[in-house]
Structure formats: C-alpha cells, structure tokens
Amino acid sequence: YLCWWSDLSLSAPNVKQRGILMIGIDVYHDKKTYKSGPKVYKQRRSIGAFVAIFVTRNGTWGTFSDIEAKEARQEIVSSKSRTNDKTSDLLEAPSITKDNALTRFVEKLKSRHKFEPDYVIVYRDGVGDSMLRQVKSEEVPQIRKAVSKDAKITYIVVQKRIQTRFLIKGNDGRVGNPEAGTIISSDLGSTEFPDFYLVPTVCTLSTVNPVHYVLIEDDKFLPIEQIQSLTYTMCFLYPNWTDSIKLPAPTQLAHKLAYLVGETHPSEPQLNNSLADSYWYL
C-alpha cells in the first residue's frame, strides 16, 4: 500500500464523492525472431497489462490488475525494391485488446470489489498517431460496454517517445527547461483530437522530455484543466518513487507488470487471484 496519500478532489473538484476508476494499459512485445530465407522478422507473442486504481464515493481506494497474453500478430516484412533499394515495412495493428479483453477486465474488477464507477479515465500507452482512430473504434466501446450508461469516460493516449521539446526564456535572457507541472495546450496544430503536453519532472542535465496526451474520447465530465491537473497529480502516486515520474501511476504500473511477465517467459502466463489486489510486481 502507499505510504502517502493525496486528495484527488484538490486537483479535480468534480471527482469529489464520486466513484473514480483510473486504468493504465501497456503492452510488452517479445523480441523478434529472424526466419532464414524470406526476410521476415516475427514476434513470438505480446503481453498486455491492465492496472486499475479505483476510489469509492466514501474515499477508500484499491487496486486491481490482470494480464492478457496473445500470440503476436505483428509482423514486419522487409523487401528491397528493384528500383530504389528502399525497405518496405508492413505493420499490422496490435491485437492485445481484441476479444473484449478490456471489457472482461473492468467486469472482473466490478464483481470482485462490488464497485460501480461514476467516472472512468484510461491512460493508454503504446499507441502511435496512425492508430488513434482504431483504438477509439475498438477500445472505447469496450469500456462503455462494461460500465453503466450514466458513467462518464475519458480515454487518453499517452505518447512518451516523442521528439517535441519546449524551452522557456527567463527575464534575464537565459533559455532553459520549463518547470515541472508545465502544461502546453495552445497553438499545437492538432485538428482531430484535443491534446496537451505535460512536463512532469525536473531535469537539470539536458532538455526535459515532455509527454503528449491525446484525448480520443471525452464525455466532458471534467474540464480540460482538471484533467491536466489530475494527470500531473497521478505522476506523484507511483509507489516506488517519492517524487513525480514521467507517466501517471496506472500507466507506469501497467508497464512494470507487462515487462515482468514478458521477461519471465512462462508458456501460458496467468495471474493468481490472490495477487490481483496488490503491487506484487514492483
């Protein structure tokens, strides 16, 4: 359990006395294997991790986690063109959340803890710009299917491996990194989905790396300012660190779970039910 606490209603007043469900999703991919003959690199399997942190209406909290293992459908086929020697890569979309895996996860949590959320916020890692529409069409309906029709949903794609950097110029003319907690949400040039950048940590040795958040679904339960503030607060609630980290706690927890299960290479990984309610993977 956590050795500190946070009042989420200070960051997002609209969540006060509401049932809040925050879900982090990340995927671990096995190393690619090379087939002789045709130039094909194939991944053996993918491990998807789902970690939820929920807060009840009376303020008690808990966690729940699960995994989904699938034979990887991703395959990169490289072929050299006779005319220009360029490499052509064909990459299929990941399948870890197909077959209603996300719906099953939420339903298991609700049944186990007798918890019905009023508001669900999902932090989905591992999705590039080209797959935003697919995630919206395939994963958002799974969340809606699992909760009541009155529940509000915000589905956010978290992009951490980006090239965007921000600098600020002080009154003394010096250029440096923005302070931790800086939000950049205007003049971004985005058209299809609302988005913002968050500088979550302090960096003194190099240019700080912001994180890009793309809201592919938002029922407007929280104003965008409260979503930004809540997201920054969740960067402080990772149990293994006493300061802010780069990602919201549910997303980093999902990353740790997926990596641990993927690296141990069990043939058919399954979580024991007694472990689902703890941070055993940290």
Side-chain angles (χ1 to χ4, degrees), residues 246-259:
K246 189 172 184 178
L247 301 174
T251 312
Q252 182 65 18
L253 291 167
H255 170 76
K256 293 287 286 188
L257 176 57
Y259 182 81

Side-chain angles (χ1 to χ4, degrees), residues 6 18 30 33 230 246 262:
S6 175
R18 300 295 183 96
D30 261 352
T33 56
L230 179 63
K246 189 172 184 178

Side-chain angles (χ1 to χ4, degrees), residues 26-33 42-49 68 70-76 91-97 124-128 131 161 255 258-263 265:
D26 200 5
V27 182
Y28 171 90
H29 299 295
D30 261 352
K31 295 178 180 179
K32 302 179 183 69
T33 56
K42 188 174 183 180
Q43 290 171 326
R44 293 191 296 269
R45 63 170 186 175
S46 296
I47 304 293
E68 183 80 11
K70 286 184 178 291
E71 290 298 317
R73 299 180 187 177
Q74 290 197 3
E75 191 171 269
I76 299 176
L91 181 61
E92 293 184 1
S95 59
I96 205 66
T97 52
R124 173 66 154 99
D125 198 2
V127 176
M131 295 171 56
R161 294 187 181 94
H255 170 76
Y259 182 81
L260 177 63
V261 176
E263 285 293 302
H265 296 287

Side-chain angles (χ1 to χ4, degrees), residues 225-263:
E225 294 81 10
Q226 291 189 29
I227 293 175
Q228 295 165 352
S229 180
L230 179 63
T231 299
Y232 183 48
T233 297
M234 294 308 299
C235 293
F236 283 88
L237 296 184
Y238 183 62
N240 268 9
W241 197 250
T242 57
D243 204 344
S244 62
I245 63 171
K246 189 172 184 178
L247 301 174
T251 312
Q252 182 65 18
L253 291 167
H255 170 76
K256 293 287 286 188
L257 176 57
Y259 182 81
L260 177 63
V261 176
E263 285 293 302

Side-chain angles (χ1 to χ4, degrees), residues 24 78 95-96 148 164 168:
S78 299
S95 59
I96 205 66
S148 69
T164 306
I168 59 172

Side-chain angles (χ1 to χ4, degrees), residues 176-182 198-211 232 235-236 241 243-247:
N177 286 321
E179 295 183 359
T182 299
L198 168 63
V199 177
T201 57
V202 175
C203 182
T204 59
L205 299 178
S206 61
T207 307
V208 68
N209 296 334
V211 179
Y232 183 48
C235 293
F236 283 88
W241 197 250
D243 204 344
S244 62
I245 63 171
K246 189 172 184 178
L247 301 174

Side-chain angles (χ1 to χ4, degrees), residues 18-72:
R18 300 295 183 96
I20 310 301
L21 174 60
M22 293 168 282
I23 302 174
I25 305 173
D26 200 5
V27 182
Y28 171 90
H29 299 295
D30 261 352
K31 295 178 180 179
K32 302 179 183 69
T33 56
Y34 180 74
K35 290 183 178 180
S36 58
K39 297 180 179 179
V40 174
Y41 293 86
K42 188 174 183 180
Q43 290 171 326
R44 293 191 296 269
R45 63 170 186 175
S46 296
I47 304 293
F50 309 91
V51 175
I53 297 175
F54 60 91
V55 182
T56 65
R57 294 182 181 93
N58 61 12
T60 60
W61 72 278
T63 184
F64 183 74
S65 59
D66 202 359
I67 59 171
E68 183 80 11
K70 286 184 178 291
E71 290 298 317

